[in-house]
Amino acid sequence: MKLIGRFLVALVVTVGLAGPAAAQPAGTAASGHPRFSALVFSKTAAFRHDSIPAGVAAIQRLGARHHFAVDATEDAAAFTDANLARYDVVVWLSTTGDVLNDAQQAAFERYIRAGGGYAGIHAASDTEYDWAWYGGLVGAYFRDHPGSVNPQFQVATVKVLGHGTAATRPLPRRWEREEEWYNFRTNPRHTVRVLAEVDERTYDPRGYSVPGGSPGMGRHHPISWCQPYDGGRAFYTAMGHKTEYYSEPLLLAHLLGGIRMAAGVAGFPCGRED
């Protein structure tokens, strides 16, 4: 995608009380030419995470500090060929449910096929269950998380699998943190490059969807991954439920690296054999 080659002036748009926010340039890059441009999309049609404003603000701060332009919207009308062509990556931040109509879905598919980038955060995998192409893009759909027979939020150890990517390089090999740990309907490890796994030996992974607790995902439980997909680049991490998580330096470094990878400005060694 063509990088923006001009100054981006921040335009503050107030969120309407009766509907989703329109596209709003915010958190713009430092003076000079932005290195790339990102659209943060956070529309919800099912469960809504209280952390969405904190996530948007965190990505805006990352843009200001690392010289990329950030627009934020909850308006699905932003998904047109002309508008998407302005961006190097679209960040789906805790979206849920059916958020795009058929025409908007088709525009996003064309955007990815033209070499665009996708970065999914947390509930992005709890989105568009009837759009199979999107399921392939995100890599796996959400199934459930702990919270019936066990605590919803637990401290666990994340195993970082290699430090050869921008999303993993800042992280320790074993990263202990609290999260709402997602279980997925399928394990994507045979179709994506897994960047991090959560070690089920360090917490109780049983999910809420089965009485008595659904099983976890076993020894290899992916929590972050990336892949080339249909001509474009895709990064996903299931981390990022709580508002306070968006103040964690390591999580922010992970998100920054994944966004840069998906935007095509950092290396993208994301094939299964990489």
Side-chain angles (χ1 to χ4, degrees):
M1 308 300 292
K2 183 178 179 182
L3 297 180
I4 295 178
R6 58 179 175 83
F7 291 97
L8 183 65
V9 179
L11 175 64
V12 178
V13 179
T14 302
V15 178
L17 295 177
Q24 42 186 310
T28 54
S31 59
H33 299 301
R35 294 173 181 167
F36 66 94
S37 58
L39 176 65
V40 180
F41 179 58
S42 55
K43 180 180 177 180
T44 56
F47 182 83
R48 184 169 182 85
H49 287 72
D50 293 339
S51 61
I52 286 174
V56 171
I59 296 169
Q60 290 171 341
R61 289 193 298 269
L62 290 173
R65 293 171 185 168
H66 298 276
H67 310 294
F68 63 94
V70 179
D71 291 355
T73 190
E74 295 201 351
D75 188 352
F79 283 71
T80 66
D81 292 330
N83 191 55
L84 292 174
R86 300 168 53 211
Y87 301 102
D88 303 289
V89 58
V90 181
V91 181
W92 290 52
L93 173 63
S94 284
T95 51
T96 56
D98 186 1
V99 292
L100 299 184
N101 65 28
D102 290 347
Q104 293 156 355
Q105 290 176 1
F108 191 57
E109 290 184 15
R110 289 190 293 270
Y111 165 80
I112 293 295
R113 289 172 182 145
Y118 164 87
I121 299 174
H122 197 54
S125 61
D126 189 22
T127 303
E128 294 287 358
Y129 289 96
D130 296 325
W131 182 14
W133 181 92
Y134 179 83
L137 176 72
V138 71
Y141 283 119
F142 166 81
R143 185 190 79 199
D144 60 16
H145 54 68
S148 56
V149 298
N150 50 8
Q152 179 178 356
F153 301 98
Q154 300 180 51
V155 174
T157 298
V158 175
K159 299 185 293 184
V160 178
L161 305 181
H163 289 80
T165 74
T168 55
R169 196 171 296 119
L171 306 178
R173 294 189 67 178
R174 294 184 68 83
W175 178 19
E176 187 175 278
R177 64 181 301 274
E178 181 195 80
E179 186 57 78
E180 178 190 67
W181 300 107
Y182 276 11
N183 297 312
F184 300 97
R185 294 185 179 187
T186 58
N187 193 317
R189 61 188 299 263
H190 297 296
T191 58
V192 303
R193 178 181 178 180
V194 177
L195 301 175
E197 298 177 340
V198 59
D199 187 345
E200 291 190 354
R201 297 172 299 178
T202 63
Y203 77 109
D204 183 349
R206 291 175 296 165
Y208 64 75
S209 62
V210 174
S214 65
M217 299 186 68
R219 179 180 176 186
H220 297 290
H221 183 152
I223 208 70
S224 300
W225 57 78
C226 60
Q227 61 168 329
Y229 187 80
D230 203 13
R233 298 168 302 277
F235 163 82
Y236 172 77
T237 183
M239 295 182 277
H241 178 93
K242 286 186 178 181
T243 293
E244 53 262 42
Y245 298 161
Y246 291 95
S247 297
E248 292 182 17
L250 287 177
L251 180 61
L252 293 176
H254 180 54
L255 296 180
L256 174 63
I259 291 169
R260 293 183 70 245
M261 289 168 62
V265 299
F268 196 77
C270 291
R272 284 178 293 168
E273 303 304 318
D274 291 324

